[in-house]
Amino acid sequence: MIWDALTLQLGYNATLVAVGATLLGVSAGVTGTFLFLRKRALVSDAISHATLPGVCLAFMVLVALGGDGRNLLGLLAGSAISAWVGLLCMNWLTRRTRLAEDAAIGAVLSVFFGFGIVLLTIIQTMGVGRQAGLEGFLLGSTAGMLWADAMIIAIGGAATLLLVLILRRPMTLVAFDPEYAATRGLPIHRIDLAMMGLVMAVTVVGLKIVGLILIVALLIIPAVTARFWSERSEHVVLLAGLAGGLAGYIGAAVSASAPNLPTGPIIVLVSFAFFVLSLFCAPKRGVLAAVLRHLRFQRRVHIRQGLLALAQGQKIYEPLTLRLLRRAGLVRPDGVATDTGKARAAKALRDEKRWEIVRADQAHEATAALYDGLRDIETVLTRDQIAEIDRQIGGPQGVPA
Amino acid sequence: MSGEEFVPLSLTPLLIGTFAAIACALPGNFLVLRKQALIGDAISHVVLPGIVVAFLLTGAISTWPMMLGAAGAAIVAVVLIEAIRRLGQIEPGAAMGVVFTTMFAAGVLLLEQTDTSTVHLDVEHALYGNLESLIWLDATGWGSLLDVDALAGLPPELPRIALTLVGVSVFTWLFWRPLKISTFDEGFARTIGIRTGALSMALVITAAIAAVAAFDAVGSIIVIAMFICPPAAARMLTNRLEAQIVWSIVFATASAVSGYVLAGYGPLWLGGSDAVSAAGMIATMSGLILAAAAMFGPCRTRIGAHTSA
């Protein structure tokens, strides 16, 4: 069943939803990345909640004009206008008053959303039927998606992607270094507004599929996910688009495969699964990689300390050290050093002595800074330099048998 | 308006709305100053899965399991946000966004999976609350306030939110000095021996308790609006924390009362026949108050900024 869904075998409507969700996921991931890099991820929360009054007002106007209140294009236009108004309010509060951005975001989202709910209750009492589709904007509803709806989403998504492509350089610059961007003469405020406009476009397009509360997830989660895998902004953008697209595609397929699996939440949960996977498994920035790094470091410290203890004829009590030394074939099970162990221990002790001289010598200042008690000295000094140091130490003296 | 009509139908929702607004505004003052205003937003979103899980576990709509579920979910969310922020080295806003959207999605999914349509539990209720329906049927007029039998029929939300308000006030009063100092100068607070980490956690937990108690009665919109709007508006009027708190209480009360009255009677005045959402109207009124304060408040700009706008 799930395979049928993934290969688009579940019929016309499911295919339409899957394609729409994928497109939405790609454009949300790509656009959200810039928002995330600009450290304004939660602005999307305010924008999405601010769409509700616009949707309701558009419905009322459409009905008042004698049309069908559920015309998607009309509702989306209304939501875009009110989202834009919300965005301007938020911008004004942040720039012109002493309120911090987070308070402005929260104020706009709750007030606009509250006003939207007031309008929703008015619509419910207006006595016109057919408002059933309207509450779907809260949580998304894809069941009744039509060809025309899918086209709007596809065109909207494609247009957003194109704009991101055009604006990617200035947006990246502003995201990473606004001061430098300003000295280059870029209109930061306008680029920020353009970025927000793109976020608004994605939000409006995504209303139908995932609803206004969950669209925030599609803007934030893929970007955060992608950030684990790369340090280069263009790669992060591409990976976020990929993660968002895959989440949309798989989420839509899963939700089509069984009843009672609402599309929006499933897409968000799939997206979160990618996030968790990346949090743990990403190379370099992932948790697993950090744990491995830590274990490797711990192992080196223990072996080194064990070797120094062997060289000085001290008994080793630390069980982890003993186990590591035994596994490396440096000591026998009874704790006595093997031949390799003795050789390595002697070298470790000699290295310590060499380092001591390096660190005492002003001429080796740069090298001495690299001392961490673990590094083999031949990785930082040439053979000639080591030979020179060894001359100062002299031959073996009083080495125990 | 006579007491016979006002006391049973409007007095209790009005009181509940006002108490909820003040209980949220008090910790909200500190959250706004500490730039943690969106904690309220995050908490009010994650309460949904907590309530659904509590319902699934107990199989009944009863208050205490749901409150515990909601509080548990809020704590899980705070811990998760912190864990993701540290493990992934992600900025707090994004970590918060990841956690609360995912938990909300999980809540919606659980809700759809379990057939809860027969019971009084749905997303709309969680969002709007049911302030209008918290009426006091046993009351017959002002005299009922002294009538023990009638008082027993008070909607249970009222004593609960009143208790929460008392708790939040006591917390604010007891920890006034450390809260104030650590909000404005965390480094100094630490040097004089205030445990700022624990205090900050206590503040978030207090906010979570206020949010959950208010959420139960008035839905998530009021909760978010009340955490942020009255304190933000109060901040435009004064530079002193004491005055800001007093103003925020005034604004919270004003938006609750005016919002409730407008929602209930406004449509009648305009010739309509049905009331509109009280929660939505209260949030709207708090927004209008904030807008007025942002335009005319004497302390609306940052010190040193241009005041020309």
Side-chain angles (χ1 to χ4, degrees), chain A residues 379-394:
Chain A
T379 60
V380 290
L381 292 180
T382 63
R383 201 169 292 171
D384 292 345
Q385 285 173 309
I386 295 176
E388 168 61 32
I389 291 167
D390 282 357
R391 253 196 304 284
Q392 293 180 37
I393 301 174

Side-chain angles (χ1 to χ4, degrees), chain B residues 125-179:
Chain B
H125 172 209
L127 291 172
Y128 322 162
N130 57 343
L131 194 55
E132 296 90 337
S133 64
L134 298 175
I135 49 181
W136 185 17
L137 280 178
D138 296 349
T140 48
W142 288 108
S144 301
L145 286 175
L146 303 172
D147 181 355
V148 180
D149 285 344
L151 282 176
L154 273 176
E157 282 83 357
L158 181 60
R160 211 150 51 218
I161 191 70
L163 195 68
T164 311
L165 176 58
V166 171
V168 171
S169 311
V170 168
F171 171 81
T172 316
W173 181 68
L174 275 182
F175 292 95
W176 173 257
R177 250 179 63 81
L179 268 177

